Amino acid sequence: MKKIGFLSFGHWSASPYSQVRSGSDALIQSIELAEAVEDLGADGAYFRVHHFAQQLASPFPLLAAIGARTKRIEIGTAVIDMRYENPLYMIEDAGAADLIAGGRLQLGISRGSPEQVIDGFRYFGYVPPEGGTDADMARQHTEAFLEALSGVGFAEPSPSPMFPNPPGLLRPEPHSPGLRDRIWWGAGSRATAEWTGQQGMNLMSSTLLTEDAGVPFHELQAEQIRLFREAWAAAGHQREPRVSVSRSIFALVDDRDRAFFGRGNQEADQVGYIDAQTKAIFGRSYAAEPDVLVKELARDTAIQAADTLLLTVPNQLGVEYNAHAVESILKYVAPELGWR
């Protein structure tokens, strides 16, 4: 395990128990938490993207702001739903945010998960191809995004431009060199992990998989990682691929931790449905004293196989508590598992 970051879903709620009461709170506190974990020595700040919900949505203004306020940490998404994205506009946004951050963006993209409304991508103006599905559309958007992200010009320049053009075909600007190597696909199955490897994207695996093979979640996820790396090697990609996994992990080191999570150690995986058609296996969560966590996490084969661990944080508990929760893992648990 080389890197540890946090993953926030960016919820806000008017509930009296929430310290994040508005969209403004969610955005500002996300920036503040990224600054705090950088000071603590963590490696990354990642954010989920959901539409039509009281959660973080359009990610690039937030990523650019964090890029301007931090200097070292990776800044990413987990994940952007490609059903909703205009690939070329996304390249412009991503290129600008990455340049502001000095080349630190790590963009997780995917087909997305069930959303708050029915076929929400249609309200954004996107319709699946005839005879195709929304998943097909997400992959088409992704293919167009990756192709244009290469930086090769493809647009015919106007013979009467407002400003002089460089020679040749044009591309979306600003172009950020190296960003193509920092695109991750959120794979929910073994088959999609193999496709990810073939496409030359890094692998981002979450706390659920949309299949149940009758084995513990971490073993299924470890197999997914193995298949990804085999597909990557078979495709002949030259660079070393990266793999991240997400976990809910809380070290119980003070009374606040025990009050919030002292009874929250979910010792077994769960199998359920994320929608009417999709069966999924959900990985367990961890909440225990640091010495117990070290032993439990050492047996998690997927964590051992990945190079990056994303700690899901309860963002509505506020910046100070979440910084404390991350610091507890960095200080008492991660060094015993080989971090740094």
Side-chain angles (χ1 to χ4, degrees), residues 71-250:
K71 298 184 181 301
R72 179 186 55 80
I73 56 170
E74 297 179 339
I75 309 163
T77 53
V79 292
I80 297 173
D81 188 333
M82 292 301 289
R83 296 175 296 177
Y84 288 75
E85 294 297 321
N86 178 311
L88 300 187
Y89 201 101
M90 183 176 172
I91 285 176
E92 294 178 345
D93 279 347
D98 195 40
L99 292 173
I100 290 170
R104 290 183 283 132
L105 254 60
Q106 302 284 342
L107 293 182
I109 64 176
S110 189
R111 170 243 182 250
S113 60
E115 292 287 318
Q116 300 299 107
V117 299
I118 298 172
D119 291 347
F121 46 83
R122 294 180 184 271
Y123 295 100
F124 279 53
Y126 302 115
V127 179
E130 185 174 354
T133 66
D134 59 331
D136 296 328
M137 181 175 65
R139 290 198 180 194
Q140 288 178 357
H141 287 184
T142 299
E143 289 164 2
F145 175 69
L146 295 177
E147 183 176 0
L149 197 59
S150 68
V152 176
F154 57 87
E156 189 72 31
S158 168
S160 302
M162 179 176 294
F163 305 104
N165 280 323
L169 301 177
L170 304 182
R171 67 190 183 190
E173 300 287 358
H175 174 66
S176 183
L179 181 55
R180 172 61 179 85
D181 291 342
R182 288 177 275 116
I183 305 301
W184 307 58
W185 184 263
S189 68
R190 289 168 289 184
T192 52
E194 290 181 287
W195 177 82
T196 302
Q198 294 163 2
Q199 300 302 311
M201 291 183 282
N202 300 311
L203 177 65
M204 187 169 276
S205 194
S206 184
T207 53
L208 68 87
L209 293 172
T210 55
E211 55 183 337
D212 177 16
V215 299
F217 174 84
H218 70 96
E219 293 181 10
L220 182 60
Q221 196 173 44
E223 181 183 358
Q224 183 194 42
I225 293 170
R226 176 182 61 79
L227 292 171
F228 161 75
R229 289 191 169 126
E230 290 177 355
W232 181 283
H237 304 302
Q238 296 303 304
R239 66 179 177 86
E240 185 72 19
R242 290 185 59 184
V243 176
S244 74
V245 295
S246 302
R247 292 288 187 275
S248 295
I249 306 172
F250 298 96

